[in-house]
Amino acid sequence: MTGSQQVPSTSQPDLASDRNVNHLSDSTSESPLADPTTLTTPSSVRHALVALSSHSAALDQELARLLQDSEPILEQAQDEIASLGPKVDVVWEEADVLDARLRESAAVAKRISERVRILDEERRRVAAAVDWAVKVSDLKSSLISLSASIDQHDWDSATKHCMRAMSVDKTILTSRFASAVVPTAELPEAPEDTLFSMRKRMLQAFTKAFNEATEMKDEAEASRFFKLFPLIGWKGEGLEVYSTFAKGLVRERGRMITENIGRGKTQAPTHFATLLTGLFEHLAMLIDMHQPVVDRHYGKGNFAEGVMNGLQEECDRLGCRIIDAWRDDRAVRRRLDEVQHNKLVGAATIKSQVHSIKPILARPSTPAGGRTASSSMDEPSGPDGREIDRILTELAAIGSRWGLYRRFLKSRLLDEDDSGTKNETKEDTQQDAIKSFKDFRRISLDNAQPPSMLPEESLDEAETKEKVDITSQSALGKQVGEALSGIYMPMETWYLRSSIEKAFRIDQPDLTVKPYTSSILDDVFYVLRSVLARNVSTSSLPTVSEMFRVAKTTIEEEYIEVIVRKLEGVWRQVSGSMTVDGPRKEAATREMKTQFAVYLNVLGTSSLYMERIISELGSEQALSRMFEPSEMSEVLAIVNSLSVLVNRFKAGLRTELDQLFTQTTKPRLRNVLLETYKDASYILDDDSYAEAEYRDIVRRRFIKGWEHVLAGYRDIFTESNYNSYVSMALDALLKPWEKLVLGMKFTELGALRFDKDVRGISTYLASQTSMGVREKFTRLQQISYILNLDGTEDEGDLYESAVASGISWRLSPSEVKSVRALRL
C-alpha cells in the first residue's frame, strides 16, 4: 500500500516541475530584450540595460521558487531508497546459502571429470600399443615373407610383401620396440636395414631382368619389371634404367647416321638436313611409343624429368656431330670468310651512273627461265652465289627441323596438363607427331598432346612438378642458334645485296612489251621472296626479326634509291638537250619519257609485288606451322613491318611521276587548252548554234590536243601509273580551264553548247581511263548548271535552294554570283 501511495505523489511534483521549467523557458523566450545590433544611440543602450537587469532579476526569482518547490521531491526519493536496504540484505543471505550448497557438488563433479580423462588416456595408450604391436607383427611377417620370396625369385610376391613392409610408418619401423621384436636368426639386422638391403637386392634383380628382356626384345617381360621399380621405392633408379635403355636405341640410330655422314659430298644439297631430320623422327617415334608407358606407371611428367634428359643428351651428341660434319663438308668457314671479306660496291657505283635504254627481246617473266642474278656471265670475282645459296638453303632446313623438333617436345612434355584445351583428338595428334617429321612441309606440332593414362590419384603429384624446357638447355639448340646468327645472317645478307647488285648489272629494259618493264623487277623480287621465305622457314624469331630489318634497309637503299638516282641522272643528262627546240629536244624528250616509263612502271609494280609478298608470308595458317602460338603476334608484326616499303615505293613513284609530268607534259597542256578555245565563242544565236552543233569544234580540238600530249603514255605505262598521270593532267588543266571560262560571255544557246562540250569531253576522258574522271569535272558542271538556269532567281536563293535539294556545292556563293554575271 505504501508503494502504491507513493506513485501519484511522485508524479504530481514531476508534472509541476515540468510546468515550472516550461514557464521559465517561456518567460525567457518572451522577454522583450532588444537586439544589440539595433542599438545605435546612448539612450537606447541605457533602456536595453535596464530591461536586461529587470529580466535577470525575474530569472533569479523564478529559479529560487523552483528550488523551493523541488525540496519535497528530494526528501521523498531519499525515503524510498532507504526502504530498499532490508530487501537487499535478504538477497545477500539467500546467495550465501546457494553458494554453500553448490560448492560441494562442484568439487564432486571435478573429481569425476579428472578420473574420466585419466581413463580415456589409458585407453588411448592401450589402443596405440595394440596398434604398434599389430603393425610390428605385420612388419615382421612381411620381412620374413619378402626374404622367402626373394630366395624363390618370386618377384611379384616379393613386390607385394615389400609394399606391405614399406607401408608401415617410419616411426614404427625405426623404433626400439621394432628393433627388439622383429629381428630373427635369419634376419638379425634392424628392420630398417633389413628392408633396405632386400630392396637393393630386388633393384639389382629387376635391373638385370629388365636389361635381359630388352636385349631379347621381350617387351612383355621388360614392361613387367619396369613397372615394379616404383612399387618398391626405386622410381628414380627405374627411370634411370629406362633412360639407359632408350639412349641405347638412339645410339643404334646414331651408328647409321655416323655411317652416312661421310657420304655428304655425293648426296643431295640437303643431305645433312635429311640426316638431322632422321634423328629427330627417330626420337619423336621413341617419345610417342615410350612416354605413355612411363607416365602411366611412374606418374605424369616423369618421362620428361627422368628419361628425356638422357635422350636429349644423345640427340645433342649426334646432332652436334652432324652440324660439325656439315661445316667441314660444305667448307662453311671458308665461304663465310669469303663473304665477310667481299666488298659490295656495285650498288653505290650504280647510284652515280646513268644507263641508257637498249631495247632487247622479250625475256621470261622470272629469272628461272634463263639468266638469273646469280648466273650472270659478267659477274665479278668473289664468292660463288650458287654455293652460298645451297649452304643457306641447307642451313635454313636445319633450323626448320630444329624448330619443329623443339615445338614437338614442348607440346608433348610441357603442355601435358593442357589437354582439355586442345581441339584435336588423341589419335590424330599421335599420328601428326610422327608424320610431321616425314613431311617437311608439315612443321606444326603446336596442337599435339599425349594420351592421358594416369590414374586420378597421381594427377595432383603431376601438377606440382616444375616444368622445364629441355630444349632451352640443349647443346644442339645452342649450336643451331649460333649457326643462324653467325653464319646464316652474314651469308643471307650478302646474298641478297649481291643479287640486287647483279640484277642491276644485267638490267635490260624491255621495250617490246606494253607496258614497258625491265628485267630488274622480276630478278630482284624473285630473290627477295626466296630470301624472306627461306628466312621465315628457319622458325627462329630473332633471325626473322634481324633479316627482315636488313631486307627493309637493303631494298630501300640499294633498290629504291638506285632507281630514283637513275631517273634523276636521266633528267640531268637530257635537260641540256631540252633547252633548245628541234630534233635534239624531241629525241631527249622521247628518251626521258621511255626511261621514266620503264622505271616508274618498275616502282609501281614493285609496290604490288611487295604487297603480295607480305600477304603470302603473313598467312597465319602458314606461320602457325613454323612458330609457336606465343610467337605469332610478334612474327606477324615483323612481316607486316615490310609495309613501310610499300609506302616508300608509292612515295618514290609519286615524286618521279611529278618530275616527269612537270618537265614534259604540264607545259604542253596549256597549249592544248588555248588551241581548243581558239576562235571559240559562246555568244550564239540560232544559226551560229546550229553551226557549232555541226562542227563540234571544241570537243574535237580537245581530243586532238589530249591525244597528242598523253596518248603515248597509255601503252607504255601500267594502268595505275597511267591513271595517276591522267589525274595529274586533269588537276593541272581544270583550274586554267575554269579561269578561261570565267572570262567568257554566254547567251542562252551558248550556255547550252558549253554544257554539251563539257559533257562530251568528260565522256571521252572517262573512256580513256578507269579512274573517276567525272568527279574532277564537278566544278565545271556546276558552272554549266548555273549558266543554263533562268535569270529570274536571286543568286542567294539559288544557292540555298540547291543546298536544300541535296546539291553539294564546289562553288562558293561569290563564285555563283560571278558565274551568273556571265549570262547575257
Side-chain angles (χ1 to χ4, degrees):
M1 293 299 292
T2 305
S4 62
Q5 291 177 354
Q6 290 176 349
V7 174
S9 62
T10 310
S11 59
Q12 289 176 358
D14 289 340
L15 292 175
S17 176
D18 291 340
R19 286 195 299 269
N20 293 335
V21 173
N22 291 337
H23 176 71
L24 177 61
S25 61
D26 291 343
S27 62
T28 304
S29 60
E30 294 175 358
S31 61
L33 296 178
D35 187 0
T37 60
T38 61
L39 302 179
T40 58
T41 61
S43 60
S44 62
V45 172
R46 284 193 294 269
H47 287 298
L49 290 175
V50 172
L52 180 60
S53 177
S54 301
H55 181 65
S56 176
L59 288 177
D60 291 339
Q61 294 176 1
E62 186 68 21
L63 287 174
R65 186 180 62 80
L66 290 175
L67 288 174
Q68 185 178 2
D69 292 342
S70 62
E71 289 180 359
I73 299 173
L74 293 175
E75 293 177 357
Q76 184 178 359
Q78 292 174 355
D79 294 339
E80 290 178 356
I81 292 172
S83 65
L84 293 176
K87 295 180 180 179
V88 173
D89 294 338
V90 173
V91 171
W92 274 106
E93 292 177 358
E94 292 178 354
D96 291 338
V97 173
L98 289 175
D99 179 62
R101 293 177 179 177
L102 293 177
R103 188 177 297 116
E104 183 178 355
S105 300
V108 173
K110 182 177 180 182
R111 289 194 301 272
I112 295 174
S113 176
E114 290 177 354
R115 183 58 181 170
V116 169
R117 284 197 296 271
I118 292 172
L119 292 175
D120 289 342
E121 179 65 20
E122 291 176 352
R123 184 170 59 183
R124 186 188 64 78
R125 292 180 179 180
V126 170
V130 171
D131 182 63
W132 270 56
V134 171
K135 289 183 178 180
V136 168
S137 176
D138 187 54
L139 173 63
K140 183 175 182 178
S141 62
S142 297
L143 292 176
I144 293 174
S145 301
L146 174 60
S147 177
S149 298
I150 292 176
D151 294 338
Q152 298 172 7
H153 299 286
D154 185 359
W155 303 119
D156 292 331
S157 178
T159 300
K160 181 179 67 174
H161 294 306
C162 182
M163 291 175 62
R164 284 180 55 198
M166 291 172 60
S167 66
V168 176
D169 189 89
K170 188 174 182 180
T171 304
I172 298 176
L173 182 65
T174 58
S175 64
R176 288 183 297 173
F177 178 71
S179 299
V181 174
V182 173
T184 61
E186 293 80 9
L187 303 172
E189 296 181 353
E192 183 179 15
D193 297 335
T194 300
L195 179 59
F196 180 75
S197 62
M198 290 184 180
R199 287 176 56 235
K200 287 192 66 176
R201 289 176 58 189
M202 295 177 69
L203 172 62
Q204 295 171 356
F206 289 177
T207 302
K208 180 180 179 182
F210 178 82
N211 292 334
E212 291 176 352
T214 54
E215 291 177 1
M216 299 297 295
K217 309 296 183 183
D218 189 347
E219 296 183 3
E221 192 69 8
S223 177
R224 172 198 171 199
F225 282 99
F226 175 66
K227 66 183 181 182
L228 295 179
F229 283 100
L231 299 180
I232 61 173
W234 297 115
K235 183 170 72 172
E237 287 73 7
L239 291 173
E240 184 178 354
V241 170
Y242 199 86
S243 177
T244 303
F245 159 67
K247 287 193 290 186
L249 298 178
V250 179
R251 290 193 191 98
E252 293 179 4
R253 181 71 179 186
R255 282 191 288 271
M256 297 176 56
I257 293 175
T258 304
E259 294 174 0
N260 290 327
I261 284 179
R263 306 173 188 171
K265 294 182 180 180
T266 60
Q267 298 296 326
T270 58
H271 171 68
F272 293 97
T274 303
L275 291 178
L276 201 60
T277 302
L279 173 62
F280 291 154
E281 180 183 348
H282 182 65
L283 285 169
M285 294 179 63
L286 285 178
I287 293 171
D288 187 71
M289 292 172 56
H290 297 284
Q291 181 189 14
V293 177
V294 174
D295 287 349
R296 180 172 67 247
H297 297 299
Y298 285 73
K300 203 167 191 177
N302 280 283
F303 181 87
E305 293 185 4
V307 180
M308 192 60 224
N309 288 325
L311 290 179
Q312 190 59 41
E313 289 177 2
E314 288 297 315
C315 175
D316 290 344
R317 183 179 64 82
L318 295 172
C320 291
R321 182 180 298 178
I322 294 173
I323 298 297
D324 293 339
W326 169 76
R327 292 174 187 267
D328 296 337
D329 187 84
R330 305 302 192 207
V332 174
R333 175 53 59 187
R334 179 169 60 85
R335 299 294 184 187
L336 182 60
D337 290 340
E338 291 177 355
V339 165
Q340 292 176 337
H341 291 88
N342 182 248
K343 302 298 183 181
L344 295 174
V345 296
T349 304
I350 291 172
K351 291 180 183 180
S352 61
Q353 293 177 350
V354 178
H355 295 263
S356 61
I357 295 291
K358 295 180 180 180
I360 60 174
L361 297 176
R363 65 195 304 281
S365 59
T366 64
R371 178 176 52 192
T372 67
S374 61
S375 62
S376 174
M377 298 298 294
D378 58 347
E379 64 183 43
S381 60
D384 187 349
R386 290 166 294 186
E387 287 295 328
I388 299 300
D389 181 61
R390 284 192 286 268
I391 291 174
L392 290 172
T393 299
E394 189 164 25
L395 181 53
I398 290 173
S400 174
R401 309 303 185 267
W402 169 253
L404 172 60
Y405 175 70
R406 177 173 55 85
R407 292 193 303 279
F408 170 76
L409 288 186
K410 184 174 182 180
S411 65
R412 296 302 298 266
L413 304 181
L414 296 183
D415 297 339
E416 291 178 331
D417 296 337
D418 299 332
S419 59
T421 62
K422 306 300 180 182
N423 297 324
E424 297 183 352
T425 61
K426 298 172 184 176
E427 294 78 6
D428 293 340
T429 302
Q430 292 177 6
Q431 295 299 324
D432 288 344
I434 306 305
K435 291 180 180 179
S436 297
F437 285 101
K438 296 182 179 179
D439 186 353
F440 294 163
R441 294 168 298 177
R442 291 174 51 91
I443 50 178
S444 174
L445 293 175
D446 293 334
N447 293 329
Q449 64 177 19
S452 178
M453 299 183 179
L454 275 180
E456 294 182 359
E457 57 270 20
S458 62
L459 291 178
D460 294 337
E461 178 185 356
E463 291 177 355
T464 60
K465 294 184 180 297
E466 182 180 0
K467 297 180 179 180
V468 179
D469 186 1
I470 296 176
T471 59
S472 63
Q473 306 297 327
S474 169
L476 175 58
K478 293 178 180 178
Q479 196 168 81
V480 171
E482 292 173 358
L484 289 175
S485 61
I487 299 174
Y488 175 85
M489 281 303 304
M491 284 190 173
E492 193 72 279
T493 301
W494 177 89
Y495 181 76
L496 177 61
R497 295 184 61 207
S498 65
S499 298
I500 294 176
E501 177 185 329
K502 293 172 186 176
F504 274 108
R505 188 179 300 115
I506 65 173
D507 179 25
Q508 288 290 341
D510 190 355
L511 308 183
T512 62
V513 297
K514 301 294 178 64
Y516 290 166
T517 186
S518 172
S519 63
I520 189 69
L521 181 66
D522 289 334
D523 288 347
V524 168
F525 278 91
Y526 177 82
V527 171
L528 178 63
R529 189 195 179 284
S530 300
V531 166
L532 294 180
R534 178 164 58 198
N535 178 250
V536 171
S537 71
T538 61
S539 299
S540 172
L541 189 59
T543 305
V544 171
S545 177
E546 179 64 17
M547 191 62 223
F548 271 66
R549 184 192 63 79
V550 170
K552 283 187 293 185
T553 303
T554 302
I555 292 298
E556 185 168 1
E557 295 180 356
E558 302 187 16
Y559 179 71
I560 300 176
E561 288 189 12
V562 169
I563 293 177
V564 172
R565 299 289 188 274
K566 184 187 290 286
L567 294 179
E568 292 176 354
V570 170
W571 166 244
R572 287 194 299 269
Q573 184 183 34
V574 303
S575 60
S577 301
M578 295 179 65
T579 56
V580 181
D581 293 337
R584 290 185 61 188
K585 179 177 180 179
E586 294 179 0
T589 302
R590 284 195 303 270
E591 181 179 359
M592 185 173 71
K593 177 180 174 180
T594 302
Q595 291 258 26
F596 268 79
V598 170
Y599 291 104
L600 288 175
N601 290 343
V602 168
L603 287 175
T605 308
S606 295
S607 66
L608 298 178
Y609 281 8
M610 184 56 65
E611 289 176 347
R612 188 182 305 170
I613 289 176
I614 294 173
S615 176
E616 292 176 357
L617 297 181
S619 171
E620 292 191 24
Q621 183 178 4
L623 291 176
S624 64
R625 302 192 190 104
M626 290 172 276
F627 295 93
E628 299 176 9
S630 59
E631 299 174 333
M632 284 296 295
S633 60
E634 189 171 354
V635 173
L636 288 172
I638 293 172
V639 174
N640 290 328
S641 67
L642 292 178
S643 59
V644 299
L645 291 178
V646 177
N647 298 331
R648 183 68 178 86
F649 281 122
K650 292 180 179 179
L653 174 62
R654 180 70 183 183
T655 301
E656 299 309 319
L657 273 175
D658 286 338
Q659 175 81 351
L660 177 63
F661 178 77
T662 302
Q663 301 299 333
T664 63
T665 304
K666 188 175 182 179
R668 304 171 65 188
L669 285 176
R670 183 170 181 81
N671 293 333
V672 171
L673 198 58
L674 295 176
E675 185 66 25
T676 298
Y677 281 96
K678 184 179 65 174
D679 301 332
S681 175
Y682 289 107
I683 304 176
L684 304 176
D685 55 16
D686 292 340
D687 294 336
S688 57
Y689 176 79
E691 183 181 358
E693 276 289 307
Y694 174 75
R695 295 178 63 187
D696 195 13
I697 190 171
V698 173
R699 188 182 67 86
R700 291 180 180 181
R701 286 177 177 176
F702 182 87
I703 293 174
K704 181 180 178 180
W706 180 270
E707 289 182 348
H708 179 70
V709 175
L710 288 172
Y713 292 101
R714 186 173 185 180
D715 293 332
I716 64 176
F717 270 156
T718 60
E719 182 180 358
S720 61
N721 284 355
Y722 181 69
N723 289 340
S724 299
Y725 211 70
V726 169
S727 178
M728 292 179 185
L730 291 178
D731 291 340
L733 186 66
L734 287 172
K735 287 189 179 296
W737 194 347
E738 293 174 13
K739 292 180 181 179
L740 182 63
V741 170
L742 293 176
M744 304 174 73
K745 294 293 183 177
F746 298 83
T747 61
E748 181 178 356
L749 292 176
L752 181 60
R753 181 64 238 169
F754 174 73
D755 183 69
K756 289 184 177 181
D757 289 340
V758 171
R759 293 182 184 276
I761 292 173
S762 65
T763 300
Y764 162 75
L765 292 176
S767 67
Q768 298 299 303
T769 179
S770 60
M771 62 171 291
V773 172
R774 300 186 187 277
E775 179 68 21
K776 292 185 176 293
F777 277 81
T778 302
R779 284 178 60 87
L780 278 177
Q781 289 173 351
Q782 290 182 358
I783 291 174
S784 175
Y785 167 74
I786 296 170
L787 290 172
N788 282 278
L789 290 175
D790 293 335
T792 58
E793 191 173 1
D794 181 74
E795 290 84 359
D797 296 337
L798 167 65
Y799 195 86
E800 295 298 333
S801 61
V803 171
S805 62
I807 295 178
S808 178
W809 281 104
R810 299 292 181 86
L811 302 176
S812 65
S814 61
E815 289 175 328
V816 172
K817 184 176 181 180
S818 299
V819 172
R820 288 295 298 271
L822 301 178
R823 276 286 300 271
L824 297 177

